[in-house]
Amino acid sequence: MSGIILALDYASASRALELVDLLAGRVNFYKVGLELFAREGPTVVHHLRKREKQVFLDLKLHDIPRTVAGAVAAASEMGARLLTVHAAGGAGMMEAAAEAAGEGTRLLGVTMLTSLGTSSLPRGAHGVRMTPEDHVLQLAAGASAAGLDGVVASPLEAEALRCRFGDGLLLVTPGIRLPRQSLHDQRRVATPRRAREAGADYLVIGRAVTGAPDPHAALDAVERDLASGERDSC
Ligand code: C5P
């Protein structure tokens, strides 16, 4: 399935690779996040690369420029195709990250977590809150200016991002749910079809598939949802 990245939010490599093998031939792009990486480290990335899978290493790096640059270089050497740093980390940090990334790694700036809603944004000088869309656009502008390849945002901001930055910025959207599915801890969500229509390049899907009793059937449902979607123009 092109444009789909499955999030391997598991506590062990064996459990994660069980799913990868179950879906062999169907999904080729997998996200390794903090839980799995903290448990298994680079080993799990090597196992995925050995199976010829593309790896999105979602480490959400946020530290001083030198430390982040070192981690980015290591992730590139590991074979990460996509890697995240926090867009809130500042221009110096993101520029150092962009400089340290190897040829094969595309860097994404994490904007506003999809688990956060409007109420988590601070009030401005006149007591008015920024909207998530404005906040995301502001962070994305910084990420783009610093030389990152793309951003992670919710599907609800994808259209505004695409219109503002054109096709030059890679758009990756978590917060994907099929109609009537539980939101779990997520707030800013949309269906696969809506996210694709809004201009997302990659949809990150976790529990909608990994939490389903039959992951193949869940992927069928994602495919059906996507089937009638067309991308909107600005
Ligand atoms: O299970 P679910 O589909 O909600 O998982 C979403 C995945 O996307 C998780 O692995 C989470 O870490 C990641 N993510 C997110 N929001 C972001 C960035 C990454 O939910 N802004």
Side-chain angles (χ1 to χ4, degrees):
M1 286 177 81
S2 76
I4 300 290
I5 303 177
L6 274 199
L8 296 173
D9 292 321
Y10 293 111
S12 75
S14 57
R15 184 72 192 84
L17 294 171
E18 214 174 277
L19 181 84
V20 172
D21 292 337
L22 177 73
L23 300 177
R26 202 159 179 202
V27 177
N28 288 315
F29 216 143
Y30 289 92
K31 184 174 89 72
V32 174
L34 292 174
E35 180 186 7
L36 187 56
F37 198 74
R39 294 247 173 224
E40 302 281 0
T43 312
V44 68
V45 177
H46 294 316
H47 280 301
L48 288 166
R49 299 295 300 138
K50 238 167 71 188
R51 286 166 167 79
E52 297 184 355
K53 302 302 175 195
Q54 305 242 63
V55 177
F56 171 9
L57 196 50
D58 187 19
L59 298 183
K60 296 188 176 70
L61 301 169
H62 193 167
D63 208 317
I64 61 169
R66 186 188 171 280
T67 302
V68 166
V72 168
S76 276
E77 285 161 28
M78 233 179 273
R81 177 83 187 113
L82 294 175
L83 174 68
T84 45
V85 302
H86 267 286
M93 189 202 84
M94 288 190 282
E95 281 160 10
E99 226 167 89
E103 278 278 289
T105 303
R106 303 182 81 186
L107 274 183
L108 305 172
V110 176
T111 58
M112 182 178 167
L113 294 173
T114 43
S115 54
L116 301 175
T118 308
S119 59
S120 64
L121 291 170
R123 290 184 190 279
H126 304 290
V128 179
R129 276 191 217 281
M130 218 178 187
T131 65
E133 184 174 300
D134 287 341
H135 186 51
V136 167
L137 286 170
Q138 197 176 74
L139 288 168
S144 169
L148 299 198
D149 301 292
V151 293
V152 182
S154 98
L156 305 186
E157 297 91 42
E159 191 173 349
L161 285 163
R162 187 57 80 204
C163 291
R164 172 78 60 89
F165 298 99
D167 287 335
L169 208 62
L170 200 62
L171 291 188
V172 178
T173 60
I176 303 295
R177 291 293 182 275
L178 287 163
R180 295 175 296 284
Q181 268 188 336
S182 161
L183 300 193
H184 306 104
D185 51 357
Q186 299 282 23
R187 295 270 175 289
R188 303 188 340 278
V189 303
T191 61
R193 177 183 166 176
R194 269 312 300 158
R196 186 59 64 71
E197 283 174 346
D201 293 299
Y202 287 104
L203 315 185
V204 174
I205 305 183
R207 287 162 288 186
V209 169
T210 58
D214 179 352
H216 271 294
L219 275 180
D220 292 342
V222 169
E223 267 174 353
R224 277 195 304 275
D225 185 81
L226 282 171
S228 51
E230 274 173 31
R231 189 159 147 175
D232 291 339
S233 55
C234 296

